[in-house]
Amino acid sequence: MTIPHLTAGDGTSLPAIGLGTYQLNGSTGADAIGQAIRAGYRLIDSAVNYENEGAVGRAVRAAGDVRDELVVTSKLPGRHHRFDEALTTIEESVFRTGLDRIDLYLIHWPNPKTDLYVQAWRALIEARERGLVRHIGLSNFLPEHIDRLVAETGVTPLVNQIEVHPYFPQQEAIDYHRARGILVQAWSPLGRGNDVRQHPTIVDIAAAHGVSPAQAILAWHVARQVIPLPKAASPQRQVENLDVFEVKLTDAQVEAITALGRPDGRLADQDPAVYEEF
C-alpha cells in the first residue's frame, strides 16, 4: 500500500500517516511493529519514555531493504533537557535502536517551568549536524515556545506532534503551523479512552462512506493535512487504519467533526503551558 506524503516548508516530506507504538514493547511489540512495516507503514513513532526503542530498532533491522523508506522517530524526555545530557540521550537512543541513525528526533514536552527547552533544541541541532539524526522537531510545544526557539536559534522545527482528535481539534494551532511550514502530527488521533467513536456524528459520517468510525476520524485528519499516529497491534486494525486515503469527506463533514471540539477536550488535562513530563 502506497502512502501519500505531506511536505514541510523546507521541502522535506513525511508519510501522511504513521504508527504509534506506545505500549508496544519487547518481542511482541517488535513483532507488531514488523507486521505494520510489512503492511505499508513507513513512519514509526517512539520515545525514550515509551521504553521501546529497542523493539522499534529490532523491527526496522528485520525489515530489510525498506530501511531507507522508513522514518524512525524518537523523543527526548524532560529529565535530559540540559545540553550535554540531551546529546548523550540521543546517542543512547541511536545505540538502543541498533540503527546508524534516527530519522526524526523530537523534544517530547517543553516543560516551561523548568525552562531548559532551548538548551535541548540546541542539542538536537548539534545531533543533526553530527549525523546522529536526520531531522528534528518538537512535541507538545505551544506557539510561544516555538517562536522563542526560532528567535534564539534560527532553526525551524520540521514537525510538532500535538494532541489532536475530534474533541480537541486544535484548529488555531494547525493554522499557526501551516503558516510556518511546520507539519503537524496528531497523538491519540482517535481519542484514546473517550467515546468519540460512538458519537452519532462520527457514526453517521462513517456509515455514509461505508467505513468504520475510526476510519472516518482518520480521514478527517487526512482532510486537514494532519499526520495521525494511531496505535494498533493487530494486523487487521493496522491495515484498516492505513486504508483511509480513498475516503473523501465533504467540507461539511469535516466541519461537522471539527465542531465536536470541547473546551475541556484534552484527554488528560496535559496543557503544555504548565504540564511537565520527565
Side-chain angles (χ1 to χ4, degrees):
M1 187 179 295
T2 302
I3 307 301
H5 281 61
L6 294 178
T7 303
D10 70 354
T12 302
S13 65
L14 291 180
I17 194 169
L19 179 74
T21 68
Y22 179 61
Q23 295 182 332
L24 297 181
N25 301 72
S27 58
T28 57
D31 290 344
I33 296 162
Q35 171 59 42
I37 293 170
R38 291 190 293 275
Y41 286 87
R42 292 296 178 262
L43 173 60
I44 311 297
D45 185 70
S46 182
V48 170
N49 278 349
Y50 297 174
E51 298 184 338
N52 69 350
E53 290 169 309
V56 169
R58 178 170 178 168
V60 170
R61 294 195 308 274
D65 59 6
V66 302
R67 169 64 185 108
D68 287 341
E69 301 173 19
L70 298 175
V71 180
V72 177
T73 306
S74 195
K75 307 183 194 77
L76 180 75
R79 62 188 175 277
H80 295 315
H81 275 194
R82 289 178 176 82
F83 182 87
D84 291 341
E85 291 182 20
L87 272 174
T88 300
T89 301
I90 295 166
E91 289 174 336
E92 288 288 349
S93 289
V94 176
F95 298 159
R96 277 190 291 269
T97 64
L99 304 173
D100 61 347
R101 67 178 188 277
I102 290 178
D103 302 290
L104 176 61
Y105 211 90
L106 315 179
I107 303 175
H108 206 154
W109 287 85
N111 286 15
K113 287 187 288 187
T114 306
D115 195 23
L116 293 171
Y117 63 85
V118 176
Q119 281 194 43
W121 187 236
R122 292 190 189 280
L124 265 64
I125 295 168
E126 175 73 14
R128 184 177 64 179
E129 292 174 354
R130 291 188 188 180
L132 291 166
V133 302
R134 290 181 63 198
H135 305 291
I136 57 176
L138 308 169
S139 181
N140 299 298
F141 274 59
L142 297 175
E144 56 261 36
H145 304 141
I146 299 173
D147 290 344
R148 181 181 172 195
L149 289 181
V150 175
E152 295 196 23
T153 69
V155 177
T156 299
L158 173 64
V159 64
N160 190 19
Q161 184 182 129
I162 58 177
E163 179 179 355
V164 184
H165 48 77
Y167 288 164
F168 198 63
Q170 295 249 56
Q171 187 61 55
E172 287 187 12
I174 291 169
D175 292 342
Y176 166 90
H177 291 86
R178 184 169 294 134
R180 290 156 180 79
I182 303 169
L183 297 176
V184 174
Q185 295 180 336
W187 59 260
S188 291
L190 299 175
R192 179 185 70 242
N194 66 23
D195 64 353
V196 68
R197 277 174 275 184
Q198 288 78 49
H199 194 285
T201 296
I202 301 293
V203 172
D204 289 348
I205 291 172
H209 289 272
V211 298
S212 71
Q215 287 174 306
I217 294 171
L218 293 173
W220 169 75
H221 286 288
V222 169
R224 301 172 83 216
Q225 294 188 303
V226 170
I227 301 171
L229 303 171
K231 186 192 80 172
S234 77
Q236 180 180 350
R237 283 289 306 282
Q238 289 174 352
V239 171
E240 177 185 303
N241 289 345
L242 276 185
D243 190 19
V244 296
F245 294 99
E246 298 304 316
V247 183
K248 305 299 183 184
L249 303 185
T250 67
D251 290 345
Q253 289 170 333
V254 172
E255 291 169 5
I257 295 176
T258 303
L260 299 179
R262 302 171 175 177
D264 61 347
R266 290 189 188 276
L267 292 172
D269 196 28
Q270 293 170 309
D271 182 353
V274 295
Y275 181 75
E276 304 266 306
E277 180 176 78
F278 295 95

